[in-house]
Amino acid sequence: GGGGGGGGGGRSDNFGKALARFAREDPTFRVHTDAESKETVISGMGELHLQIYVERMRREYGVECDTGQPRVAYRETIARAVDFAYVHRKQTGGAGQFAKVEGELVPLDVDDVGVGADSVQFENAIV
């Protein structure tokens, strides 16, 4: 999938016309507007498929689009640093099991947050 927004002024009419035509011609090309971000989101059969439609919008309809990953509205986040500790004890007749896990969850700066694996940072330490 991918995201994009239309141009301003009279070109927004062409933006809508182009999207409607592409959706009519190709059942794998889908368009919807995200209610929270107000972005127009297009999805299809992959990145190349969507790039072709964005190029056609520019060439055939004179519409320039800003494209990228759709924005996600995060509902919950860590507001401040918090410590946690857990002790696991299990005695089943043998040597038994024991583990103690301690840690700290710390919010990342908004500028540091990426997408996917880059958006989580783990720091291992044995104390």
Side-chain angles (χ1 to χ4, degrees):
R11 291 185 184 230
S12 63
D13 291 340
N14 283 346
F15 178 71
K17 287 178 188 175
L19 293 178
R21 176 180 163 203
F22 298 156
R24 232 184 7 258
E25 291 175 353
D26 182 354
T28 65
F29 180 83
R30 291 182 302 281
V31 182
H32 76 275
T33 301
D34 185 273
E36 292 182 353
S37 70
K38 308 293 187 240
E39 287 182 322
T40 300
V41 180
I42 60 173
S43 56
M45 300 294 290
E47 197 69 31
L48 180 60
H49 184 228
L50 299 177
Q51 286 173 353
I52 289 168
Y53 280 113
V54 169
E55 176 59 27
R56 282 185 63 192
M57 261 193 268
R58 188 186 64 73
R59 193 177 63 245
E60 296 174 24
Y61 290 88
V63 175
E64 294 291 336
C65 295
D66 297 326
T67 60
Q69 295 295 320
R71 285 185 291 192
V72 176
Y74 294 102
R75 305 210 182 285
E76 296 181 21
T77 188
I78 301 168
R80 59 183 172 79
V82 61
D83 293 326
F84 64 88
Y86 174 76
V87 177
H88 172 79
R89 289 188 188 101
K90 188 171 185 181
Q91 190 68 39
T92 56
Q97 299 173 354
F98 176 83
K100 184 174 183 180
V101 178
E102 294 182 355
E104 179 184 29
L105 292 175
V106 181
L108 296 174
D109 281 341
V110 175
D111 297 336
D112 293 342
V113 177
V115 176
D118 295 339
S119 64
V120 179
Q121 296 177 1
F122 288 100
E123 204 173 288
N124 293 326
I126 298 175
V127 291

